[in-house]
Amino acid sequence: MFISLWEFFYGHFFRFWMKWVLRQMTGKCELQRIFDTYGGAQRTYRIENSLTYSKSKVLQSATQVAESELDRCVADIMKEKNICREKDNSFQVCMKTCLLQISGYKQLYQAVENVRKKPYDSGNAQHEKLLLKLWSLLMPTEKLKARISKQWVDIGFQGDDPKTDFRGMGILGLINLVYFSENYTSEAHQILSRSNHPKLGYSYAIVGINLTEMAYSLLKSEALKLYLYNFVPGMPTMEHFQQFYCYLVYEFDKFWVEEEPESIMYFNLYREKFHEKIKGLLMDYNTVLTLKT
Amino acid sequence: MSDLRITEAFLYMDYLCFRALCCKGPPPARPEYDLVCIGLTGSGKSSLLSKLCSESPENVVSTTGFSIKAVPFQNAILNVKELGGADNIRKYWSRYYQGSQGVIFVLDSASSEDDLETARNELHSALQHPQLCTLPFLILANHQDKPAARSVQEIKKYFELEPLARGKRWILQPSSLDDMDALKDSFSQLISLLEEKDLEAMRM
């Protein structure tokens, strides 16, 4: 309760007066001061906060600007804050980059959500093609006897028909699985070859779908902001989300083997431990998470 | 976030002040019961438990291994150990029965004949398992919203509950994610059974 009171007090009084004093002292508005002091993800993150908490409607709406409106938006901000192009010529470029990153993140979430909401549909030829592609990537030497078959268990699905396993993640789960299997095929085969091991093994497909859920919820809860602001100097795309997913799969596999769990029954405990570890890494302003094979 | 939380916080503080003025101690803690939740994969265990905990069941994925949730009700807290229902996980079920005070069995009323038969076998095994046979069972005939869903009467007959579960305490209820009130009512009935069992144990 006290936190809520402080937030109210800070937002409505303290912040305004502090900014006024700083503007008088430095002759620059908050946005300019941030560009001068910070770089990388920290800069974009602070710019985003400054715009979101601003009293000005122009600044507030800048966080959701479409790419086509970008130039006009930056010009509006400069006019609103009385920033002179001649005196501060880097402002425009910096602001454009930041806005692309900020609104790009929101748009990426929307794009990922739209894919997640689509359930797997056996009547959709593209979905079926993708599913069969997954099989051929993971089991190149074994032919699938039928679309509904116990063989699916071999690549880590729970039953005869994989469509029942995607659930809340919809077609996003399958897209992620295919992407990892296609781009990191030898790693995928390694994980698969181990899946029957009593301790070190786990179901490739089901765990993959669980990790899709982890990546999705990190994106949704804005935990991926610092990572994407550092990694992508413009609008992040689905490709970047897929890359992050691959990082999770690869690191989770290493983590599982290191931890030596008693059996697959303890999956959720280790999943949570891994989740906390990742969240910790993502809170670092200088976070750079890349897959090192 | 802020407005609702401030109101809730003030209301709770008022409640505590009122109790203090009337010389009452802090409100009694709700009793807790340890339950195990089983059923075939896709029967709806994770979704039901998520919704009871006021979480969205939209992003639920298949449960691998087990997952523990504390489900709050008005007069009790149920610590539910939900066990995944995939073929390769079911063989481990009996290892996690120890310490349970009750069982929730969820089945998909609209599943295929084969799956329904598998569910029946699993339920019978559970009813006869030495660690579960004296415990109260809540059997939920889930997915009632699907057009192919069998009625509770059909389920009761097919699962041969009357002859098999005679002498045991069990409740068979229809359920679906659309009707949370009916679901909460089913759980209230289970809680009553759990309370009865507690009282019996105390008398002995």
Side-chain angles (χ1 to χ4, degrees):
Chain A
M1 190 191 100
F2 293 110
I3 297 172
S4 312
L5 275 174
W6 165 251
E7 271 175 19
F8 176 80
F9 185 61
Y10 177 78
H12 285 76
F13 303 110
F14 189 63
R15 189 167 172 269
F16 174 75
W17 289 112
M18 204 169 78
K19 281 171 51 167
W20 181 86
V21 165
L22 285 168
R23 181 151 196 166
Q24 299 311 308
M25 278 169 44
T26 60
K28 289 184 172 174
C29 74
E30 188 178 20
L31 297 174
Q32 289 170 303
R33 292 196 300 274
I34 294 174
F35 284 134
D36 284 344
T37 329
Y38 302 102
Q42 222 185 90
R43 170 193 279 190
T44 312
Y45 192 72
R46 283 172 184 266
I47 291 286
E48 186 176 4
N49 279 344
S50 176
L51 293 173
T52 313
Y53 290 113
S54 170
K55 285 193 175 52
S56 152
K57 289 274 180 291
V58 171
L59 266 61
Q60 271 181 28
S61 60
T63 57
Q64 316 234 27
V65 69
E67 205 172 348
S68 48
E69 301 280 305
L70 197 60
D71 288 325
R72 187 195 55 78
C73 183
V74 175
D76 286 345
I77 293 175
M78 288 174 76
K79 198 166 138 197
E80 178 88 4
K81 288 285 169 182
N82 296 325
I83 298 168
C84 193
R85 189 171 310 175
E86 290 75 34
K87 282 192 195 164
D88 191 347
N89 46 20
S90 66
F91 183 88
Q92 208 173 10
V93 173
C94 295
M95 198 63 201
K96 260 196 206 165
T97 312
C98 285
L99 285 182
L100 277 174
Q101 290 178 311
I102 295 167
S103 64
Y105 186 97
K106 294 179 170 51
Q107 282 164 39
L108 175 62
Y109 168 68
Q110 217 33 70
V112 169
E113 172 69 4
N114 288 341
V115 178
R116 182 204 71 79
K117 277 198 300 213
K118 279 202 206 106
Y120 182 90
D121 180 8
S122 324
N124 183 323
Q126 278 191 351
H127 292 188
E128 289 285 298
K129 202 168 151 203
L130 208 57
L131 186 62
L132 296 173
K133 185 178 181 185
L134 182 67
W135 176 270
S136 60
L137 281 167
L138 295 174
M139 305 289 248
T141 53
E142 201 176 313
K143 197 169 168 345
L144 190 64
K145 294 191 187 106
R147 167 64 178 78
I148 315 271
S149 144
K150 284 242 171 292
Q151 286 172 292
W152 288 111
V153 174
D154 296 339
I155 58 169
F157 286 103
Q158 289 189 109
D160 300 351
D161 189 349
K163 80 169 184 200
T164 57
D165 287 337
F166 296 113
R167 306 207 186 160
M169 288 301 113
I171 197 70
L172 181 66
L174 181 58
I175 289 176
N176 279 163
L177 282 171
V178 172
Y179 187 89
F180 183 77
S181 309
E182 202 166 20
N183 292 289
Y184 298 96
T185 318
S186 57
E187 287 76 15
H189 283 166
Q190 243 181 40
I191 298 172
L192 203 57
S193 65
R194 224 192 294 125
S195 48
N196 288 321
H197 192 283
K199 280 194 178 187
L200 297 181
Y202 56 81
S203 311
Y204 176 80
I206 285 296
V207 168
I209 297 170
N210 259 277
L211 293 172
T212 296
E213 195 273 326
M214 194 185 290
Y216 166 79
S217 69
L218 286 169
L219 178 68
K220 185 174 179 180
S221 63
E222 302 185 351
L224 286 189
K225 275 191 175 166
L226 294 182
Y227 162 73
L228 285 174
Y229 291 166
N230 262 327
F231 196 51
V232 188
M235 292 196 91
T237 61
M238 188 58 136
E239 180 85 13
H240 295 115
F241 179 75
Q242 302 258 48
Q243 278 294 325
F244 178 72
Y245 168 78
C246 293
Y247 172 84
L248 284 184
V249 175
Y250 187 74
E251 289 297 315
F252 178 78
D253 186 56
K254 272 186 4 197
F255 176 82
W256 181 263
V257 172
E258 273 166 21
E259 292 280 316
E260 291 182 358
E262 222 177 275
S263 78
I264 187 69
M265 288 306 282
Y266 295 92
F267 173 74
N268 282 309
L269 291 174
Y270 287 94
R271 181 196 182 280
E272 263 324 291
K273 199 170 165 188
F274 177 69
H275 190 208
E276 289 303 310
K277 179 179 170 197
I278 294 291
K279 280 202 288 196
L281 288 173
L282 288 171
M283 286 206 287
D284 182 355
Y285 274 129
N286 300 314
T287 187
V288 171
L289 305 172
T290 43
L291 221 156
K292 295 187 189 71
T293 51
Chain B
M1 173 207 87
S2 327
D3 286 338
L4 193 59
R5 276 197 26 201
I6 293 176
T7 321
E8 265 179 41
F10 276 127
L11 281 174
Y12 187 64
M13 274 166 29
D14 283 344
Y15 171 67
L16 287 179
C17 287
F18 176 74
R19 284 190 74 99
L21 284 172
C22 298
C23 300
K24 285 186 186 196
R30 287 174 279 179
E32 289 186 29
Y33 298 101
D34 294 329
L35 302 182
V36 67
C37 179
I38 51 179
L40 295 193
T41 175
S43 50
K45 305 178 287 297
S46 304
S47 300
L48 284 179
L49 293 173
S50 287
K51 233 179 155 180
L52 284 171
C53 292
S54 307
E55 290 161 15
S56 162
E58 233 190 43
N59 303 334
V60 147
V61 289
S62 304
T63 311
T64 304
F66 66 80
S67 136
I68 303 188
K69 268 192 150 65
V71 188
F73 290 90
Q74 234 188 0
N75 50 348
I77 296 181
L78 301 180
N79 296 319
V80 183
K81 189 182 288 178
E82 182 209 332
L83 306 179
D87 291 349
N88 64 333
I89 305 281
R90 285 209 301 275
K91 60 190 185 205
Y92 294 115
W93 276 4
S94 49
R95 296 191 199 181
Y96 298 91
Y97 289 165
Q98 179 90 7
S100 305
Q101 293 165 283
V103 181
I104 306 163
F105 189 94
V106 186
L107 60 103
D108 180 358
S109 314
S111 65
S112 66
E113 286 291 327
D114 285 343
D115 284 346
L116 206 64
E117 192 180 329
T118 314
R120 181 175 68 179
N121 294 338
E122 292 294 350
L123 178 59
H124 287 185
S125 303
L127 283 167
Q128 288 157 356
H129 193 279
Q131 279 173 331
L132 302 182
C133 56
T134 57
L135 304 179
F137 272 64
L138 171 61
I139 305 163
L140 293 172
N142 204 17
H143 294 294
Q144 285 292 313
D145 49 314
K146 286 196 195 150
R150 297 169 184 79
S151 70
V152 163
Q153 290 311 318
E154 285 177 70
I155 301 270
K156 193 194 275 192
K157 194 166 169 206
Y158 184 81
F159 276 67
E160 296 167 335
L161 284 173
E162 307 249 84
L164 197 75
R166 193 171 300 155
K168 302 182 200 290
R169 273 168 283 221
W170 56 271
I171 308 162
L172 171 63
Q173 290 281 310
S175 68
S176 85
L177 281 180
D178 305 339
D179 193 349
M180 289 311 288
D181 290 333
L183 187 64
K184 287 187 185 158
D185 188 62
S186 309
F187 272 87
S188 299
Q189 293 182 40
L190 176 66
I191 293 172
S192 307
L193 282 186
L194 292 165
E195 284 169 351
E196 261 175 44
K197 199 149 198 289
D198 247 3
L199 286 173
E200 259 179 40
M202 271 166 40
R203 274 190 227 116
M204 292 189 318

